[in-house]
Amino acid sequence: MTFLITGGAGYIGSHVVRAMTLAGEQVVVLDDLSTGDEDRVPEGVPLVVGSVLDRLVLDRTIAEHRVTGVVHLAGKKQVGESVDKPLWYYQENVQGLTVLLEAVAHAGIRNFLFSSSASVYGMPDVDLVTEDTPCAPMSPYGETKLAGEWLVRAAGRAHGIATACLRYFNVAGTATPELADTGVFNLVPMVFERLDAGEGARIFGDDYPTPDGTCIRDYIHVEDLADAHLVAARKLAQWAGAGDYKDLTVNIGRGEGVSVREMVELINEHTGHTEEPVVTPRRPGDPAKVVASADRIAAELGWKARHDVDAMIISAWEGWGAHRVTAGHHTEQR
């Protein structure tokens, strides 16, 4: 069994590669390195530099490495950028997926795991978001993820492919400092960047209908997320081996909400900082509360998150410091 992991040189992808190789699975990585880093790919794991839009590269990679399953993480994922560049996002995320699925169907591969997102839900007005909560994405990025799910399921039914769509909630932390998130797009690294500059974290709005007025989110440790991919990929292979071409859609979260203010206070506590957060106006489209129900994945796959928010912050801070030093930044880490 050999899994092709697209986007395997990225932050999340490299953790999936790590989890699968540590578990004894054979993997090959395909990444265009537009945001990925080849240094994230472990020694001994083949890295093919190329795009999922390139059918020739896909066909050659699948044949040369005898790929029998696919874990698809490659894609663009910034909400604001997707609003500015919707055509590019649909090209990369939907057309790229189309070309990949064509190659998968042509090669007779019978299991396919798709990296989706909680952004498919939009602004759900519920205490816990289940997989049956209506999807109403609010950005081109979210739309491409929902369209991707439709496409994956349709291709699975048409071509006899067992499929899974994993809807991530808010990912943080790192398994090792070398694999830390170096992009400043999510809350934790955004706060770190402010603290490095000697400034308080920025909170976008404190007048939401929540206990402390700030948004509530469900945070998942990237190591737990990677383990969920391993469990799901193995389940798909099991189904495909039995000729059972099911489709599975599950949330990947902890089922626990943490407010932005609580998260900032925890970050300050674990990093030794005391800067007071700065409250600025709300960002358009931010829902007050998005917390996952993780019951379905527990029932279907026996998976449950193991790491808490403290572990996410501590590991992320360690990784942030390691990359700061590597980059030649000498800001004191307090």
Side-chain angles (χ1 to χ4, degrees), residues 110-111 156-157 159-163 239-247:
R110 292 291 177 255
N111 51 94
R157 290 190 296 268
H159 298 283
I161 304 169
T163 64
W239 286 345
D244 191 359
Y245 302 114
K246 297 180 181 180
D247 64 83

Side-chain angles (χ1 to χ4, degrees), residues 49-63:
V49 179
S51 168
V52 292
L53 287 159
D54 190 332
R55 177 64 187 276
L56 292 177
V57 169
L58 291 173
D59 287 344
R60 185 174 68 247
T61 301
I62 289 170

Side-chain angles (χ1 to χ4, degrees), residues 224-237:
D224 286 332
L225 177 63
D227 287 339
H229 283 73
L230 170 64
V231 173
R234 284 180 162 174
K235 178 61 74 172
L236 291 181

